[in-house]
Amino acid sequence: MDKKFILNILDGIFNAEEPKFYDFDIDKETFGEIVEVIQNEGLISGAKISRVGLDNRVAVVSLHHAELELKGLNYISNMQDTQISECLRF
């Protein structure tokens, strides 16, 4: 899973935005799976993912009530520190 997507979703929630799948040029299914993972990992809470059909496809992903958890804030901080360190190496 691309860490850039995770960081951008978390950053959007932190900035009181509601990231959508089309903001990242990915399909709703992929976006829903990423949101499920970051919620299951405890980075966020309050995200709603609705699945439908026999194939259990993602129908709706809502981050309207999503909140960053401490683990999510730490993830953002660690990723930003890593990016700064990588820039300073060059």
Side-chain angles (χ1 to χ4, degrees):
M1 183 171 306
D2 193 337
K3 292 179 181 180
K4 180 174 53 176
F5 287 133
I6 295 171
L7 181 60
N8 287 333
I9 292 168
L10 295 176
D11 195 45
I13 294 169
F14 178 77
N15 290 316
E17 300 166 355
E18 185 179 356
K20 305 279 190 187
F21 70 94
Y22 48 77
D23 296 330
F24 304 100
D25 198 29
I26 58 176
D27 60 51
K28 191 185 319 179
E29 185 72 25
T30 302
F31 184 70
E33 290 171 0
I34 294 169
V35 170
E36 278 183 329
V37 167
I38 63 178
Q39 182 155 265
N40 290 340
E41 291 294 321
L43 302 175
I44 63 171
S45 61
K48 302 292 183 208
I49 299 102
S50 297
R51 293 180 171 272
V52 296
L54 295 174
D55 56 356
N56 207 28
R57 299 206 34 91
V58 172
V60 177
V61 179
S62 174
L63 297 173
H64 184 73
H65 296 290
E67 296 181 1
L68 275 178
E69 297 296 330
L70 181 58
K71 192 172 180 181
L73 290 169
N74 288 336
Y75 184 93
I76 291 171
S77 178
N78 290 339
M79 289 300 290
Q80 288 173 340
D81 290 346
T82 299
Q83 290 173 348
I84 291 170
S85 294
E86 287 175 0
C87 288
L88 293 176
R89 285 186 211 161
F90 295 106

